[in-house]
Amino acid sequence: EAGVAQSPRYKIIEKRQSVAFWCNPISGHATLYWYQQILGQGPKLLIQFQNNGVVDDSQLPKDRFSAERLKGVDSTLKIQPAKLEDSAVYLCASSFSGEETQYFGPGTRLLVL
Amino acid sequence: AQSVTQLGSHVSVSEGALVLLRCNYSSSVPPYLFWYVQYPNQGLQLLLKYTTGATLVKGINGFEAEFKKSETSFHLTKPSAHMSDAAEYFCAVTYMGPGNKLTFGGGTRVLVKP
């Protein structure tokens, strides 16, 4: 069974530029999560989708971050404009609806210069 | 609100020695508890989880953890460390119900000495 796919794996941009990350969850998983993991810290939930609807985006900095899951399958997370403090690993995870176990992708490592 | 505290951001153990990673949680409802492992430049891999039932849970790679409600703890152990156990370990908590948000601790990095 294929796992959660993410791309790109690495991205280097300058501050004020924009960047987008892509995630394809495990087939059949209705719930999709985006996490931000700053170096030396645990992952922090940014946004949670149930199919194509948002369940929780309370920790998403909406002035610069946006995310969508238009067809209820893959998802895109965008940052515009990026700040230095956005340098982190962005992890995507998915789970079956109502299932407590989340499965994580390899992450996208972002460096903002 | 729920939270997780992992005591010790770094742990160093000798190969063959006991590995003990401490995790304490705070939750207003019965928790579901997880341990994940993260190898360099990789995502998180589930080691084990506690939802209900037996409080001693066994996971992959010889790890186990015990849920102690009275101590609000879920410590992770492995009797004999192997070089391949060098990684970062995260404890996390959620609960049964809609929108089950996973809250992570700060992580413990394990170094295994030969």
Side-chain angles (χ1 to χ4, degrees), chain A residues 10-99:
Chain A
Y10 305 92
K11 191 74 176 179
I12 301 174
I13 62 173
E14 295 187 349
K15 60 183 179 184
R16 292 187 289 272
Q17 286 187 323
S18 63
V19 65
F21 312 129
W22 174 82
C23 172
N24 192 41
I26 292 172
S27 178
H29 282 193
T31 310
L32 184 147
Y33 312 80
W34 282 102
Y35 289 86
Q36 180 191 58
Q37 185 180 18
I38 293 173
L39 186 65
Q41 300 181 18
K44 181 186 78 171
L45 180 69
L46 291 175
I47 189 167
Q48 176 182 348
F49 290 96
Q50 179 70 19
N51 295 308
N52 61 351
V54 175
V55 174
D56 184 351
D57 64 355
S58 58
Q59 298 296 306
L60 187 73
K62 298 180 185 63
D63 58 332
R64 299 184 300 107
F65 286 65
S66 64
E68 60 183 16
R69 194 184 184 199
L70 294 176
K71 297 183 179 179
V73 180
D74 56 346
S75 175
T76 302
L77 176 70
K78 296 180 181 178
I79 308 174
Q80 182 178 11
K83 293 185 175 181
L84 297 177
E85 58 261 36
D86 298 333
S87 294
V89 177
Y90 291 85
L91 295 165
C92 180
S94 68
S95 69
F96 285 112
S97 179
E99 168 67 39

Side-chain angles (χ1 to χ4, degrees), chain B residues 2-69:
Chain B
Q2 55 199 29
S3 65
V4 177
T5 301
Q6 291 184 239
L7 290 176
S9 58
H10 292 79
V11 168
S12 181
V13 299
S14 297
E15 192 173 19
L18 171 71
V19 179
L20 170 60
L21 305 183
R22 300 181 187 275
C23 171
N24 289 88
Y25 69 91
S26 171
S27 178
S28 57
V29 297
Y32 289 173
L33 295 156
F34 301 78
W35 277 100
Y36 282 88
V37 61
Q38 187 175 35
Y39 298 101
N41 299 317
Q42 295 187 28
L44 277 70
Q45 179 183 4
L46 181 67
L47 272 179
L48 50 79
K49 65 180 180 181
Y50 168 80
T51 53
T52 58
T55 56
L56 181 64
V57 293
K58 296 184 183 300
I60 62 172
N61 302 339
F63 284 93
E64 63 181 35
E66 186 171 12
F67 169 59
K68 292 187 176 180
K69 184 179 178 180

Side-chain angles (χ1 to χ4, degrees), chain A residues 9 37 100-102 105 109, chain B residues 36 38 41 43 49 90 100 105:
Chain A
R9 291 295 312 278
Q37 185 180 18
E100 71 279 352
T101 302
Q102 298 179 23
R109 187 175 298 272
Chain B
Y36 282 88
Q38 187 175 35
N41 299 317
K49 65 180 180 181
F90 292 94
N100 49 343

